[in-house]
Amino acid sequence: MDAAAVNDLLAFLRFPSVSTDPACAGKVAECAQWLCARLKALGLEAETHPTPGHPAVVARNRHETGRKTVLIYGHYDVQPPDPLELWTHPPFEPHIENGIVTARGATDNKGQILAHVLGVGEAMKRTGELPVNLIFLIEGEEEIGSAHLEPFLLAHRDSLRCDIIAVSDTGMVGRNIPTFTYGLRGIGALEIKVTGPSTDLHSGIYGGAVANPATMLARLLATLHTAEGRVAVEGFYDGVQPVSQAEKDRWGRLPLNDALILQLTGAPQLFGEAGCTTLERVWARPTAEVNGLKGGYQGEGTKTVIPKEASAKLTFRLVPDQKPDEVIDKVKAHLTQHTPPGVVLEITGGHTGAPYLCDPDSPQGMAARRALQRTFGGEPALIREGGSIPIVNSFKTILGVDTLLLGLALPDCRVHAPNENFPLENFFAGIRLNQALLEELAQG
Ligand code: BES
Ligand code: ZN
């Protein structure tokens, strides 16, 4: 059984289902087909639904009245594998060593969603049935903001009606430490471009005559933060809810401390908003991040040039009760106001997703925590996460249900980075966790 499960995982990981890369669209579609066939093979009714972007895969068992309906959400798309030269093995040729599988998507989210799928398969094989009415919703656009999933939810509101949603796309605070996540940060994305001269110029002939777009972009980006690490956009913190003392106390007791985070990041020191602990900063405080910078000569050696333009990709992590669209408007106004002289600014809006917070002590939260305890032993840690899963808030607003976040990523799984990996022990734990979860939710 274990070998078959691992083979399934390897097959799933071999698809380069990079949602952001148009060149991968065919492989993304093939991956959806593979998943759909795998779900059908378990005896579920499964379909791939085309969207204006990548397809969503939906599967269900035979629903019976009187039973709880559980929707399990995940994604089969992955982040780009770049920079390729930093991988020890090719990102779409999964490699197993010391019980750890390395491949793009191993943790985020193929390993975790497949554990749910195989957990369902095992339960159905063992008992011929599931204790709940089940819906799988596995999309192909999570890593690019889930733009087409919200319309899909609206269009299929009735058939997706459920009592609770479960998602394994978050992390554990450490190996074998069961972890229940009750909050996610939201996100807003932007791209900015500053343009100067109509062509690249010789920096000797014209240096001093015109503004250099790369310099001016750096100047503009520097206005986003104060020296103390706060975001300097007017009104940015409007609506930000303070972290409760109970949360501060709980997080202060976690094994995920500053020394460990320093080691995990490999940064020379930790840095962020003054007056907050590191865990508060990543889980419950908003940030502004530069994700990419372009401008000027990037090749070997020097080139004496004034680039005609320079650009940056930005994202803002948001917390309750910030409103993504309002924050993005404030950021746009800030950037426009602070554009340095001699260049023209162009802003392109990107995806947004609202933050999410739920009650870990709700009856369903308690059921999830019991399932985690049964699977790993020990009281689950209660945390928030700094990452975003944009559709989770839409589940609440459109379907009216809460989402239980029971992810199995470890802090060193290198999610989104080269050499992403997932321990097989977590993969097998995920298969067991799925079964415990459905049992607990059926009763709770
Ligand atoms: N699995 C992550 C979200 C995540 C990461 C949650 C770490 C908790 C801890 C998800 O696949 C992801 O990366 N989401 C993107 C969303 C964005 C592209 C809209 C993110 O957070 O950057
Ligand atoms: Zn991700």
Side-chain angles (χ1 to χ4, degrees):
M1 181 61 228
D2 281 6
V6 171
N7 280 338
D8 276 332
L9 178 59
L10 298 182
F12 198 17
L13 290 172
R14 283 190 193 106
F15 293 97
S17 50
V18 182
S19 48
T20 199
D21 183 355
C24 290
K27 293 293 173 189
V28 175
E30 278 179 32
C31 187
Q33 292 299 346
W34 180 89
L35 187 58
C36 188
R38 195 66 198 81
L39 289 158
K40 277 185 185 158
L42 302 181
L44 300 177
E45 186 190 292
E47 254 185 299
T48 56
H49 291 259
T51 75
H54 301 300
V57 180
V58 180
R60 61 186 73 230
N61 62 346
R62 196 172 34 79
H63 285 199
E64 285 174 15
T65 45
R67 289 198 309 198
K68 292 269 165 46
T69 301
V70 178
L71 186 151
I72 298 176
Y73 163 82
H75 60 98
Y76 67 84
D77 66 320
V78 299
Q79 286 273 325
D82 314 66
L84 286 174
E85 65 279 12
L86 296 184
W87 287 79
T88 53
H89 297 89
F92 298 107
E93 292 173 26
H95 175 84
I96 299 180
E97 203 172 309
N98 300 326
I100 295 176
V101 58
T102 298
R104 170 57 84 235
T107 293
D108 184 9
N109 175 233
K110 287 176 173 171
Q112 300 197 63
I113 189 63
L114 189 66
H116 279 291
V117 171
L118 299 184
V120 163
E122 277 193 12
M124 286 177 57
K125 210 151 141 200
R126 206 162 24 89
T127 63
E129 244 310 345
L130 292 176
V132 297
N133 298 334
L134 182 82
I135 304 171
F136 271 116
L137 172 60
I138 307 174
E139 70 152 320
E141 297 192 307
E142 195 274 344
E143 298 291 8
I144 49 173
S146 301
H148 301 108
L149 197 59
E150 200 173 279
F152 185 83
L153 292 187
L154 286 165
H156 297 85
R157 202 188 240 146
D158 286 338
S159 63
L160 295 175
R161 183 164 303 164
C162 57
D163 298 297
I164 188 71
I165 294 176
V167 176
S168 294
D169 196 20
T170 49
M172 298 168 67
V173 291
R175 187 171 173 229
N176 284 325
I177 304 178
T179 304
F180 182 80
T181 296
Y182 59 91
L184 293 167
R185 287 198 288 189
I187 191 166
L190 281 183
E191 288 196 40
I192 61 174
K193 183 157 98 176
V194 295
T195 319
S198 58
T199 174
D200 282 8
L201 297 172
H202 190 295
S203 66
I205 301 175
Y206 293 107
V210 296
N212 181 320
T215 310
M216 294 313 187
L217 177 65
R219 226 203 247 187
L220 180 57
L221 292 175
T223 69
L224 285 173
H225 292 94
T226 67
E228 294 74 39
R230 270 177 76 85
V231 178
V233 173
E234 202 182 319
F236 185 77
Y237 291 93
D238 289 357
V240 169
Q241 294 301 315
V243 186
S244 73
Q245 193 56 46
E247 286 183 299
K248 287 186 186 191
D249 293 345
R250 253 189 341 240
W251 297 351
R253 289 193 296 268
L254 293 174
L256 196 56
N257 55 29
D258 277 11
L260 184 56
I261 297 171
L262 191 62
Q263 189 197 327
L264 285 164
T265 59
Q269 67 175 74
L270 298 178
F271 176 79
E273 189 184 351
C276 310
T277 66
T278 311
L279 290 181
E280 286 164 34
R281 295 202 303 261
V282 293
W283 291 347
R285 299 293 297 170
T287 61
E289 303 293 343
V290 178
N291 304 125
L293 269 181
K294 204 161 84 181
Y297 179 62
Q298 310 283 332
E300 284 291 307
T302 58
K303 183 183 184 202
T304 48
V305 68
I306 296 176
K308 68 192 274 283
E309 62 188 34
S311 58
K313 291 178 188 281
L314 311 179
T315 51
F316 299 82
R317 293 288 166 173
L318 310 175
V319 301
D321 292 324
Q322 285 176 301
K323 304 270 174 294
D325 292 339
E326 286 175 19
V327 174
I328 289 299
D329 284 347
K330 286 174 186 161
V331 170
K332 284 181 180 166
H334 172 99
L335 291 167
T336 306
Q337 253 168 38
H338 289 81
T339 303
V343 289
V344 174
L345 173 71
E346 216 178 287
I347 306 178
T348 318
H351 54 77
T352 55
Y356 181 71
L357 199 58
C358 70
D359 175 11
D361 297 326
S362 70
Q364 290 158 326
M366 295 306 291
R369 288 161 61 182
R370 283 195 301 276
L372 282 163
Q373 182 146 18
R374 275 174 57 187
T375 307
F376 291 96
E379 269 288 303
L382 300 182
I383 69 163
R384 299 203 219 171
E385 283 274 24
S388 309
I389 307 176
I391 204 64
V392 166
N393 186 68
S394 314
F395 286 148
K396 185 74 184 176
T397 54
I398 297 173
L399 301 180
V401 284
D402 280 325
T403 296
L404 306 167
L405 298 156
L406 331 93
L408 302 171
L410 294 184
D412 59 356
C413 280
R414 300 181 188 237
V415 165
H416 291 202
N419 302 317
E420 175 177 351
N421 64 85
F422 195 42
L424 290 176
E425 69 174 7
N426 285 33
F427 177 57
F428 295 126
I431 295 174
R432 296 194 305 276
L433 173 62
N434 180 78
Q435 299 180 51
L437 179 69
L438 297 188
E439 286 166 18
E440 293 292 343
L441 287 173
Q443 288 156 21

